[in-house]
Each structure stands twice: as C-alpha cells, then as structure tokens.
Amino acid sequence: MSDQDRNVSRRNFLKATGFGVGSLAAAVGLGRLGRTEVVIAQHSEPAEHAHGNPGMMGQVDHEANQFDPHELLTDFDYGEISEENGRTVRTWQILAVDKEIEIAPGIFFPAWVYGSATSAASRRQGLVVGQCPGPTLRCVEGELLRIIFVNGSSHPHTIHFHGIHSAFMDGIPNVGRGVIEPGEQFTYEFVANPFGCHLYHCHAFPLKRHIHKGLYGAFIVDPDPAKYSGADRDLALQRNHQTMATGSINEMVMVMNGFDTNFDGDNEVYAVNSIAFAYGMQRPIVIQREQLQRIYLVNVTEFDPINSLHTHANFFDYYDHGTTLLPTQKTIDTVMQCQAQRGIIEVSFAAFEPGLYMFHAHQSEFAELGWMGFFELEA
Amino acid sequence: MGNDNQNTNFWQRLPLWVWGLLPLVLLLLVVSLFFLANPLAFFTGNFPPLETLTIQQIRFPGQNQVELTAINGGPDPVSIAQVIVDDAYWQFNIEPATPLGRLQQATITMNYPWVDGEPLTIALITDTGATFASEVPVAVASQAVDLYRLFSLLGIM
C-alpha cells in the first residue's frame, strides 16, 4: 500500500467516524462556526506526506580516508616505551601532511592533518596515515615524552601541547625552535604534567586557519597511582590505563570539531571525530550495561565560541580538564566547553533498558549539521 | 634593378587564382596556429574548477513538500552532495543524479515540514564544500497553473 493510499484511507476513516476537529466541534454543539470551523477541519486532516527525515544522503568512504571514526573513538596511541636512567621515556613519531578527507557523504575538505607511526590506522595499513583528529597521545604523569615531529606538509607547522613545559618546547612561532618548515623536523621533549585530559594543536599563524584545517588531537596524561595514597590512590588506579580493572570501563575519545567548507568564517559541518553523523542510527556506539562509560571530551571547534555535549535519558559526572580525581560537576546532562576546553565524562547505563540513547551538542544547529550520535545499549 | 624587374615579372606572371587563394591560405595558417599553440590555456590552465550553481525556483506543492530546480551555469560539472534547509541537513531526492554538466538542470524534491507564512533558506552544498543558497521570504503553497482560467483571464483582458 502506498503512502497516499494509506493517507486517503485514514482521512476517510476520520470522516466516517466524525473525528475531525470540525465535526467534533459540531457534534458537541459548537456548530455555526462557519468559516472558522471549515479552517479547523482542514488543518485537522492528516498530512498528505511524511514530514521527511533530517540527515544526509549516502555514506562516507572511510577506507579512502584511511581512518574510521569508530576506530579513532577507542584508539589510544601509547607511542614506544623505553627506559633512561630509571625513568620511563615515551616516544612518538608525528607527521604533518596535506590530505583531502571526506568529512560528510560526498563532501571533501582540503585538510592539514597529523599522523602517528604508532596509531591504529597506521599500524593497520603499514604506513604513517594522516588522520583527523590527530592520534590520541596517551601517557602517565612524570614520564619523559619525546615527540619527533616531521613536517611533510607544504606549509610550516608546529605542535603546541597543552601541558606544563619550558618556553623552548612550547611549539609557537619565534620562540624556541619556532615553526618547523616543510621537510624539516624537530623533537619536542618535556615531562608529562599535570595528569588530565588535554590537547595539542598547530600554533603556526594564521592560527585560526591552522587549527580549523585539522591540526589537533587529544593528549591524555593518566595519574600515576604511586604518587597517591588512600582513596586518591584507588581513584588514580581506576583512571590509569595500565592499572584500571580490566573490562570495567569503556573509554572513548570525542574531539568536537567543525569544518568551514566554503571558507566564509562559519562551519558547514559539525562532528565529533570529524565525520558528520558518524555515530548516527546506522552505526551507533555499542555499549554494555556493566561497563562505566568514560568519555575524554575535547572542544577544538573554530568560529563558534562554545560547543557542548548532552546525553539523553541519563546524567553524568564531569571532571573539567580531567585534572582532579573527584568530579568538578556531579549529576549533569549537558556540559559546555569553550575552544580548547576539555574534560572527562563518566556515565553509567547500569540498570537501563536496552535501546538507542542519543547524545549531541545542545546547540541544535550543530546537532542538525552533523554533531549527533547514539549509544546502543545491548541487552 | 634587373633583379627587381625579374621579381616583378615573377609576381606578375602568377595566375590570378593564386592571389585569390592567398588570403585563405593565410587564414588556415592562423587558425591552425591558434589551435596548436592553444593561447587560451592562460585562462583555463591552473584554476580550480569554477562552480556556479543557481537555485532557479523553490516551490511548495503541498504540506511538507518542497521542490526546487537548480541549474549549473558554470563551465565545469557540479556534484550536489547534500541539501541544507534552515541550517539542518535534510534528506532529498535528485533527478537526474549529479554531477550536472554545463547548463544541465536538476530537480530536487524533499519532504520537509515547512511553515506557512514563514521564511525558509535552502542551500545546496557541493562535493568541494561550496554552498549555493536561496532564501524564500515567505513560504506559501504553490498554485498549480489552471490553463483554462489563465487563458480565460487573458481573453477578458
């Protein structure tokens, strides 16, 4: 049966049962409303066609992009570990490249991106793959970090880490080594501090352009349980990737970003982890009831002062910047972040009914332009 | 001087039809040079594709129905990737399928709960991320053209 047949029969049904608003009004003695009555009756009729569906047409070719937002979600890049004078040293090889990426079905963006030799995408493909957002670099507080940066892009870039380090290692133009020209390399070196959910990004000028083109990523420093005692130690154990109880926590990275595809200073596409509607109804994030969900949330959205995350049908605890062991906000369902603000969300679906639980930016505009997704809670 | 005379004689001895043919030969030479050297490459060589898409008409044939036609007025093919209605991506049908060639026209239809008497902006976003928007100041149901009424009216006037 076509839509039209169904609508017609429904309308006939309404007429036959006298259930239109107009006829209902007449039936209860409000007759002689004349013209008004007719208008109400018209409006009470069912719509000729469905309201249609929000969203996009088609699918993004993740293989051509060489990275998949579902893989990025849980890919923590621990680099290569070595030992020097009794201290743990963590080394990453980071490459900057120019790369066109499909950010939404059929929409291609001329991006500048970072790639890491030790990211999941690179290991899977056997070559350093540029991805947006860049690899999620993860370490433990107190470790010595070495980031060997090679600029394979056609523009000068830097890596500026949000963390505590010397001015020389700040990764900004004209200070320390300054910008790294195309074809050149530089090794940033500093001690991981403080623990928390941080980020890194290119700080070459013009800054707005260099960030919004795709040069950013999450930088997570886990607390070192050995530095804490009592209840703090237990909390640090649960936050640290090396010591947390296996399988008890599902950790995810969500980098909120946007793309100004026509370069008019306004984003046409919004997303978490670059691809519009990546975790939509067709490919939701599958979660288990018995696991605590921990989201490392980073906002790098350019052009808009703030971005946000809202969970449906549930409330969460939030650790602003992730630099505390206890939540900075308890039992909230919406959190707001300015650009470069970030934090950790902990949300439990224990005792929830199975089904699709939506999450999105609560700027409705961002949500309808791509920043919208679902958790699918398994039975 | 003798040489000059000889030359003059040579040119004078040429049959008239050769003189008639000469401009044609020169013309052929210039035209073939034009195509071989491709001097217009300067204008088309290194530029990114120029996308010129125009939304010609937006119609509201019925409740929840929106229909629009777009034409590619530029020299390069244009691929319409998505449709944005009032800052929201919305599902649609397009006929014929893109890319649209030069001066090719496409009809986009969608089910969208437009509000009678309120403004509406529709933007088409292409594969390069370029957007082409058109604003409807006041959305009202489009009247189907009744040819009998139209011609009766013309007759009266």
Side-chain angles (χ1 to χ4, degrees):
Chain A
M1 193 163 79
S2 75
D3 275 1
Q4 209 158 358
D5 290 341
R6 193 160 50 226
N7 282 328
V8 168
S9 63
R10 201 193 305 162
R11 194 188 309 158
N12 288 342
F13 170 78
L14 287 173
K15 275 181 184 160
T17 54
F19 231 82
V21 171
S23 36
L24 187 68
V28 294
L30 294 174
R32 302 188 57 83
L33 285 174
R35 204 180 145 76
T36 313
E37 184 196 4
V38 173
V39 171
I40 293 169
Q42 274 177 0
H43 280 268
S44 72
E45 290 200 344
E48 289 288 335
H49 289 262
H51 278 198
N53 284 313
M56 291 178 162
M57 308 297 290
Q59 304 288 328
V60 166
D61 187 349
H62 301 300
E63 256 177 60
N65 276 348
Q66 299 177 298
F67 64 88
D68 188 314
H70 278 265
E71 187 178 53
L72 296 191
L73 194 66
T74 54
D75 178 29
F76 298 99
D77 186 345
Y78 298 110
E80 277 160 12
I81 304 166
S82 59
E83 194 98 354
E84 274 176 34
N85 309 320
R87 179 172 228 167
T88 304
V89 179
R90 218 176 270 271
T91 308
W92 290 276
Q93 294 173 62
I94 305 291
L95 179 75
V97 285
D98 303 349
K99 180 173 179 170
E100 188 179 70
I101 54 174
E102 190 180 2
I103 50 162
I107 303 175
F108 296 86
F109 183 78
W112 299 337
V113 294
Y114 291 121
S116 163
T118 39
S119 72
S122 296
R123 276 185 271 118
R124 184 162 45 79
Q125 283 157 92
L127 70 162
V128 183
V129 165
Q131 59 180 66
C132 186
T136 298
L137 308 183
R138 193 162 182 180
C139 57
V140 179
E141 65 172 319
E143 290 176 342
L144 181 66
L145 309 183
R146 275 200 195 111
I147 300 101
I148 304 165
F149 174 52
V150 177
N151 185 2
S153 162
S154 56
H155 298 263
H157 297 303
T158 72
I159 310 182
H160 164 71
F161 282 85
H162 284 233
I164 297 169
H165 47 247
S166 69
F168 195 88
M169 292 296 169
D170 199 37
I172 61 166
N174 307 318
V175 177
R177 174 66 190 270
V179 292
I180 314 304
E181 294 294 333
E184 293 190 349
Q185 75 167 64
F186 178 68
T187 303
Y188 297 96
E189 193 175 299
F190 50 88
V191 173
N193 230 343
F195 76 81
C197 172
H198 306 306
L199 72 153
Y200 63 89
H201 60 85
C202 176
H203 213 297
F205 294 115
L207 189 56
K208 198 164 56 175
R209 173 66 57 102
H210 279 254
I211 292 181
H212 129 257
K213 284 281 253 179
L215 292 165
Y216 44 74
F219 170 48
I220 299 169
V221 182
D222 287 345
D224 180 2
K227 290 184 162 69
Y228 306 90
S229 59
D232 281 356
R233 188 169 179 278
D234 292 339
L235 292 168
L237 283 167
Q238 284 310 300
R239 184 77 75 74
N240 186 301
H241 66 268
Q242 293 167 324
T243 55
M244 66 180 66
T246 315
S248 63
I249 303 167
N250 179 40
E251 295 195 308
M252 293 169 268
V253 180
M254 292 190 188
V255 176
M256 302 191 285
N257 52 359
F259 295 94
D260 175 14
T261 63
N262 58 7
F263 298 91
D264 65 348
D266 211 2
N267 294 311
E268 275 67 42
V269 171
Y270 291 86
V272 272
N273 300 338
S274 304
I275 313 299
F277 302 110
Y279 312 114
M281 226 173 246
Q282 289 163 336
R283 267 183 97 194
I285 299 171
V286 178
I287 56 170
Q288 266 93 46
R289 219 184 254 157
E290 51 277 4
Q291 282 187 317
L292 177 73
Q293 307 302 321
R294 182 180 285 155
I295 303 163
Y296 294 91
L297 184 72
V298 181
N299 179 23
V300 292
T301 315
E302 199 59 77
F303 309 117
D304 296 287
I306 55 161
N307 205 329
S308 61
L309 183 145
H310 163 62
T311 53
H312 277 225
N314 207 342
F315 281 67
F316 56 82
D317 287 350
Y318 181 69
Y319 304 71
D320 192 31
H321 287 67
T323 43
T324 55
L325 292 170
L326 289 172
T328 50
Q329 281 176 289
K330 280 186 82 75
T331 325
I332 57 173
D333 74 353
T334 305
V335 68
M336 181 174 85
Q337 291 181 340
C338 73
Q339 193 191 45
Q341 200 175 350
R342 64 279 182 188
I344 301 171
I345 287 171
E346 284 181 353
V347 59
S348 168
F349 284 86
F352 273 61
E353 280 176 33
L356 288 167
Y357 293 90
M358 201 186 219
F359 62 94
H360 59 86
H362 219 304
Q363 284 89 339
S364 313
E365 182 199 349
F366 300 180
E368 291 188 309
L369 288 174
W371 177 177
M372 193 197 284
F374 285 92
F375 292 119
E376 186 179 5
L377 186 63
E378 289 198 318
Chain B
M1 292 299 277
N3 276 345
D4 278 356
N5 282 339
Q6 258 180 359
N7 281 346
T8 311
N9 289 339
F10 169 75
W11 294 115
Q12 276 172 352
R13 266 185 277 125
L14 278 176
L16 198 61
W17 62 268
V18 173
W19 289 104
L21 210 60
L22 194 65
L24 282 174
V25 171
L26 283 172
L27 185 69
L28 265 174
L29 195 72
V30 170
V31 168
S32 45
L33 264 176
F34 184 83
F35 279 105
L36 285 173
N38 191 19
L40 289 182
F42 174 76
F43 297 103
T44 56
N46 257 329
F47 301 114
L50 187 69
E51 295 184 325
T52 313
L53 197 61
T54 309
I55 297 178
Q56 289 183 301
Q57 198 186 14
I58 301 174
R59 295 173 296 276
F60 303 93
Q63 230 182 3
N64 301 319
Q65 286 177 292
V66 181
E67 191 180 295
L68 61 97
T69 47
I71 188 165
N72 173 15
D76 300 309
V78 173
S79 287
I80 297 169
Q82 303 294 340
V83 177
I84 305 170
V85 187
D86 276 343
D87 283 337
Y89 285 100
W90 212 264
Q91 297 190 354
F92 63 96
N93 289 311
I94 185 163
E95 189 62 44
T98 54
L100 299 179
R102 176 175 162 78
L103 295 178
Q104 205 185 347
Q105 196 171 305
T107 302
I108 290 168
T109 49
M110 61 181 114
N111 293 334
Y112 182 86
W114 58 275
V115 180
D116 190 56
E118 290 186 4
L120 188 80
T121 301
I122 297 182
L124 307 177
I125 183 161
T126 71
D127 58 346
T128 66
T131 55
F132 299 91
S134 180
E135 195 195 335
V136 179
V138 181
V140 284
S142 312
Q143 296 294 322
V145 179
D146 183 341
L147 286 178
Y148 288 105
R149 271 168 93 177
L150 183 69
F151 282 107
S152 309
L153 193 68
L154 279 173
I156 293 164
M157 285 170 79

